[in-house]
Amino acid sequence: MKAVLDTSAIIEAFDRGRSDLLRELVESYEELLIPWVVVYEYTMGHRLLGRDPWARKQALEELGSIVWMEQGLLLKAQEVDVELRRKGRPIPFSDVLVAAAALIFDAELVTLDEHFKEVEGLKLRLLDGRR
């Protein structure tokens, strides 16, 4: 099975000393997919903290495959966004893109964010952020 990694999972694995989680992710999934928006959010956070964003970007590229925006992903993101808005349960746009990637690739979404439960048909693996 493939996994799409959300920013919260990346932070948990890389920045909170969870080498056990990182190892488990690599061993449990045939492919790790990282949406471009996750790369942006994660490296932007490091830039804001005065850290080298390029080193973090390289670490993500070594961990998995970066998923770039393309037409199918754009259309799936619109479907997800419209569905959530109609239910009165919108989620942040970056998370709409992450959920759409998981749906497009038929992958499990690995995250700490429970609001992804709102996305119909999403395979979800919620991590416990408490150590």
Side-chain angles (χ1 to χ4, degrees), residues 1-2 9 14 37 41 45 49 55 58 60-61 73 80 83 85 89 92-93 95 98 100 102 117 123 126:
M1 172 175 273
K2 297 176 187 178
F14 279 119
V37 70
E41 289 179 326
L49 293 171
Q58 184 175 9
L60 294 180
E61 291 170 339
L73 183 56
V80 169
E83 177 185 314
R85 288 170 187 268
R89 308 289 296 179
F93 178 67
D95 288 343
V98 171
K117 289 179 180 178
K123 297 174 190 168
L126 279 173

Side-chain angles (χ1 to χ4, degrees), residues 39-107:
V39 176
Y40 175 86
E41 289 179 326
Y42 183 65
T43 58
M44 182 62 165
H46 279 268
R47 183 178 293 274
L48 287 169
L49 293 171
R51 299 178 187 152
D52 180 11
W54 291 107
R56 297 290 79 205
K57 180 179 176 286
Q58 184 175 9
L60 294 180
E61 291 170 339
E62 291 172 6
L63 177 63
S65 300
I66 307 303
V67 176
W68 298 101
M69 181 56 83
E70 53 85 27
Q71 180 112 5
L73 183 56
L74 173 100
L75 294 173
K76 181 54 80 173
Q78 288 175 343
E79 288 175 23
V80 169
D81 206 7
V82 166
E83 177 185 314
L84 292 172
R85 288 170 187 268
R86 285 187 175 152
K87 291 191 321 189
R89 308 289 296 179
I91 63 176
F93 178 67
S94 58
D95 288 343
V96 168
L97 295 172
V98 171
L103 291 167
I104 287 282
F105 288 98
D106 192 30

Side-chain angles (χ1 to χ4, degrees), residues 103-116:
L103 291 167
I104 287 282
F105 288 98
D106 192 30
E108 188 168 66
L109 175 57
V110 181
T111 184
L112 276 78
D113 298 328
E114 293 203 19
H115 62 242
F116 283 107

